[in-house]
């Protein structure tokens, strides 16, 4: 459910219809795969493959949005752009989670101190994620939109 919501939010940020269509098809395929997976298989444990696939899709959405934002002709002050901070936050969270989950899967037999370092990275990733979200919400309150900007957006 959270992946579907994030896909919707990130697709609404994109302006180019061809890219939106391709990403919407990828998102629908992923959601249909999840529905089929959960209907056919009783899920009792966390499946890292599904989480990593959804994370990679979200990271791809964020990178496409950031590329679109940086390629605009109009100069955009990023400190006033809440969607920039939101995408950076999601990149930080899901990019960090992919590395942490992969490390946790492959390092299960390693010393406890190494696993504690991985968990500390998890806390730092979450702290950075929530800090960027707070910046995004603060920027959203400081942005003044004109009627023309709302129509163009």
């Amino acid at each position: 459910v959270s992946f579907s919501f994030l896909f919707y939010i990130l697709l609404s940020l994109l302006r180019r219809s061809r890219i939106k269509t391709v990403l919407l098809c990828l998102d629908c395929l992923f959601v249909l795969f999840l529905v089929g997976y959960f209907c056919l298989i009783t899920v009792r444990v966390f499946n890292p493959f599904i989480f990593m696939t959804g994370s990679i899709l979200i990271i791809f959405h964020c990178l496409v949005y950031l590329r679109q934002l940086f390629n605009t002709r109009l100069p955009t002050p990023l400190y006033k752009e809440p969607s920039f901070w939101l995408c950076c936050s999601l990149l930080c969270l899901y990019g960090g989670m992919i590395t942490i989950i992969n490390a946790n899967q492959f390092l299960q037999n390693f010393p406890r101190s190494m696993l504690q370092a991985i968990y500390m990275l998890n806390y730092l990733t979450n702290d950075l994620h929530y800090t960027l979200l707070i910046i995004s919400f603060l920027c959203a309150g400081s942005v003044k939109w004109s009627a023309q900007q709302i129509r163009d957006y």
Side-chain angles (χ1 to χ4, degrees):
V1 174
S2 66
F3 283 132
S4 301
F5 175 72
L6 289 173
F7 292 152
Y8 172 75
I9 295 295
L10 292 171
L11 280 174
S12 68
L13 295 175
L14 296 175
R15 293 187 182 102
R16 297 170 119 189
S17 62
R18 180 181 286 168
I19 293 173
K20 268 182 148 174
T21 306
V22 169
L23 290 177
L24 181 63
C25 291
L26 282 173
D27 297 343
C28 289
L29 285 173
F30 179 70
V31 170
L32 287 174
F33 169 74
L34 284 181
V35 168
Y37 179 79
F38 288 127
C39 287
L40 296 175
I41 298 172
T42 304
V43 180
R44 293 196 176 132
V45 295
F46 175 72
N47 189 338
F49 175 73
I50 289 176
F51 183 80
M52 285 189 286
T53 306
S55 297
I56 289 170
L57 280 172
I58 288 177
I59 289 169
F60 187 68
H61 280 72
C62 291
L63 291 175
V64 167
Y65 169 73
L66 290 175
R67 183 171 187 266
Q68 173 185 295
L69 181 68
F70 293 140
N71 285 338
T72 58
R73 296 187 189 271
L74 299 172
T76 305
L78 295 179
Y79 63 90
K80 291 184 177 181
E81 188 71 36
S83 55
F84 168 75
W85 296 104
L86 176 69
C87 283
C88 288
S89 168
L90 293 174
L91 275 172
C92 171
L93 178 69
Y94 286 105
M97 291 303 287
I98 285 177
T99 56
I100 290 167
I101 288 174
N102 279 332
N104 197 20
Q105 292 293 317
F106 296 116
L107 300 178
Q108 289 179 354
N109 297 327
F110 276 71
R112 185 172 175 85
S113 61
M114 187 172 278
L115 292 176
Q116 286 175 341
I118 291 171
Y119 292 130
M120 184 58 70
L121 284 174
N122 187 15
Y123 291 132
L124 291 173
T125 302
N126 284 329
D127 289 344
L128 185 58
H129 166 68
Y130 288 116
T131 302
L132 291 171
L133 278 180
I134 289 170
I135 293 171
S136 171
F137 293 133
L138 292 175
C139 287
S142 69
V143 173
K144 305 288 188 238
W145 292 83
S146 69
Q148 181 66 31
Q149 287 174 320
I150 292 171
R151 260 194 311 263
D152 292 341
Y153 194 72

